[in-house]
Amino acid sequence: MAASGEPRRQWQEEVVAVVVVGSCMTDLVSLTSRLPKTGETIHGHKFFIGFGGKGANQCVQAARLGAMTSMVCKVGKDSFGNDYIENLKQNDISTEFTYQTKDAATGTASIIVNNEVKTLFNPAPAIADLDPRFYTLSDVFCCNESEAEILTGLTVGSAADAGEAALVLLKRGCQVVIITLGAEGCVVLSQTEPEPKHIPTEKVKAVDTTGAGDSFVGALAFYLAYYPDLSLEDMLKRSNFIAAVSVQAAGTQSSYPYKKDLPLTLF
Ligand SMILES: Nc1ncnc2c1ncn2[C@@H]1O[C@H](COP(=O)(O)OP(=O)(O)OP(=O)(O)O)[C@@H](O)[C@H]1O
Ligand SMILES: *[C@@H]1O[C@H](CO)[C@@H](O)[C@H](O)[C@H]1NC(C)=O
C-alpha cells in the first residue's frame, strides 16, 4: 500500500512478468455432420462461441498458472470485442493495453516478452520469408513441425528431423530453438548446447488437441518468467505435462488447467 501523499503505483509496471503481443479471436463454432458446399445451407446440431486467438490463448494459460500477465492486442469495437475483454479480465489478465478498434482484429504472430529481457517468439502462422530479425531477436524460438517445415524447407516427420530443422533455425541467430512434436513432446537445442535433445511427454488419451501448442507456449512463458533458475529441460518437461493435460478436455481455452488443478511438483 502506498502511503498517503505518495503517487499511486503503476502495478502493471511493477509486477507484470509476461507480456503477450498477439491475437484475440472469437471462435464461432458450428457442429455439423459435414461441411456445406458453396452456397449451401445445412443443419447444425450445436453452436457455441469460444475465446481463441494464439496470443490470447498463450496469455490465458500463463495467467492460469499464476503469472501476472498483460495482453497487448486490438479487438473490434463491438459486442465480441467487449466480451473478449471481459474474458481477459475473468482470467486476471491486465487489459490496460488491450484496445478496441472499428477495423477487424488481426493477428498473425505472437511475441511474448518477459519485461525487457527474454523474448519468446512463436511464428504462427509461419511464412517462409520471415524477417531475419525475428531470429536474431528471439531468445526462445518455438514452433511446431509444420511451421519448422515452412521456415526451413526440410521435411519434419520425426524427432531426428526436428533436430536437424532446429539446427538450421539456430544458425539463423536464435539463442534457443524448440520444435513441438504433438504426442512426441518436443525437441530443443541452444547456442550453448547445440546437440538436439528430445523431451518426450506423457502418454495420455487425447480428446481434443486444439490449442495444445498455445498451452505449451503459455506454460513455457510462465516458467521463463517465474522459475528462471530451472533448467530449460525441466521447464520443457513441465510445459509438456501442462499441454498434455489440455489435450484431455475439449476446446481451446476451456481445456487449459489452473494451477490449483495441477500437481504441486510443477511449481
Ligand atoms: N496427443 C498428445 N499427447 C500428449 N501431449 C500432447 C499431445 N498433443 C500435443 N501435446 C503437447 O502439446 C505440445 C504442442 O503440441 P503440437 O506440437 O501438436 O502443437 P501445435 O501443432 O501448435 O498444436 P495446435 O496447433 O493443435 O494447437 C506438445 O509439445 C506436447 O507437449
Ligand atoms: C502448427 O501450427 C499451425 C498454426 O500456425 C497449424 O495450422 C498446424 O496445423 C500445426 N501443425 C501441426 C503439425 O500440428
Side-chain angles (χ1 to χ4, degrees):
M1 279 290 163
S4 61
E6 260 178 55
R8 228 179 116 245
R9 280 188 184 217
Q10 288 288 312
W11 70 266
Q12 283 84 358
E13 281 178 25
E14 299 287 331
V15 296
V16 165
V18 176
V19 177
V20 179
V21 182
S23 57
C24 293
M25 304 282 181
T26 302
D27 297 331
L28 305 175
V29 186
S30 302
L31 302 187
T32 59
S33 52
R34 60 178 177 85
L35 291 175
K37 299 195 183 82
T38 309
E40 188 192 11
T41 302
I42 60 169
H43 279 283
H45 53 273
K46 208 174 174 185
F47 172 82
F48 61 89
I49 294 177
F51 297 108
K54 298 193 75 74
N57 290 344
Q58 295 166 13
C59 198
V60 165
Q61 179 64 88
R64 288 191 186 173
L65 297 175
M68 292 297 240
T69 59
S70 180
M71 185 68 211
V72 182
C73 69
K74 260 185 193 166
V75 293
K77 209 169 179 57
D78 48 30
S79 60
F80 287 145
N82 297 341
D83 288 351
Y84 213 111
I85 289 179
E86 186 53 33
N87 174 54
L88 295 174
K89 288 182 176 158
Q90 290 283 324
N91 281 283
D92 285 329
I93 294 167
S94 165
T95 56
E96 190 181 1
F97 302 104
T98 306
Y99 303 100
Q100 285 190 287
T101 169
K102 289 212 170 69
D103 306 328
T106 53
T108 52
S110 34
I111 304 168
I112 296 182
V113 183
N114 165 5
N115 288 1
E116 293 143 31
V117 219
K118 278 244 147 70
T119 308
L120 195 167
F121 183 66
N122 175 219
I127 45 167
D129 58 347
L130 185 67
D131 188 319
R133 283 172 298 183
F134 281 114
Y135 298 104
T136 53
L137 293 173
S138 294
D139 292 305
V140 180
F141 190 98
C142 181
C143 65
N144 69 16
E145 290 162 282
S146 32
E147 289 154 355
E149 288 189 342
I150 293 167
L151 295 166
T152 63
L154 298 173
T155 302
V156 182
S158 65
D161 292 347
E164 285 180 33
L167 192 57
V168 170
L169 298 174
L170 189 77
K171 286 183 179 154
R172 293 182 187 167
C174 321
Q175 294 305 309
V176 173
V177 177
I178 297 157
I179 299 181
T180 61
L181 304 168
E184 300 302 317
C186 62
V187 156
V188 61
L189 46 70
S190 64
Q191 296 291 349
T192 47
E193 287 181 56
E195 194 61 42
K197 193 174 244 172
H198 181 201
I199 321 274
T201 185
E202 333 281 312
K203 275 261 172 297
V204 298
K205 197 164 156 34
V207 172
D208 180 356
T209 62
T210 321
D214 294 334
S215 170
F216 180 91
V217 172
L220 180 58
F222 167 79
Y223 287 115
L224 287 166
Y226 286 90
Y227 293 84
D229 296 333
L230 278 183
S231 69
L232 189 57
E233 188 172 342
D234 230 347
M235 292 186 197
L236 295 174
K237 280 184 187 156
R238 294 178 194 206
S239 302
N240 267 343
F241 185 96
I242 290 164
V245 172
S246 83
V247 305
Q248 295 174 70
T252 303
Q253 290 180 17
S254 53
S255 70
Y256 290 0
Y258 290 85
K259 182 175 183 176
K260 66 174 171 53
D261 303 318
L262 291 163
L264 287 172
T265 48
L266 291 179
F267 299 94

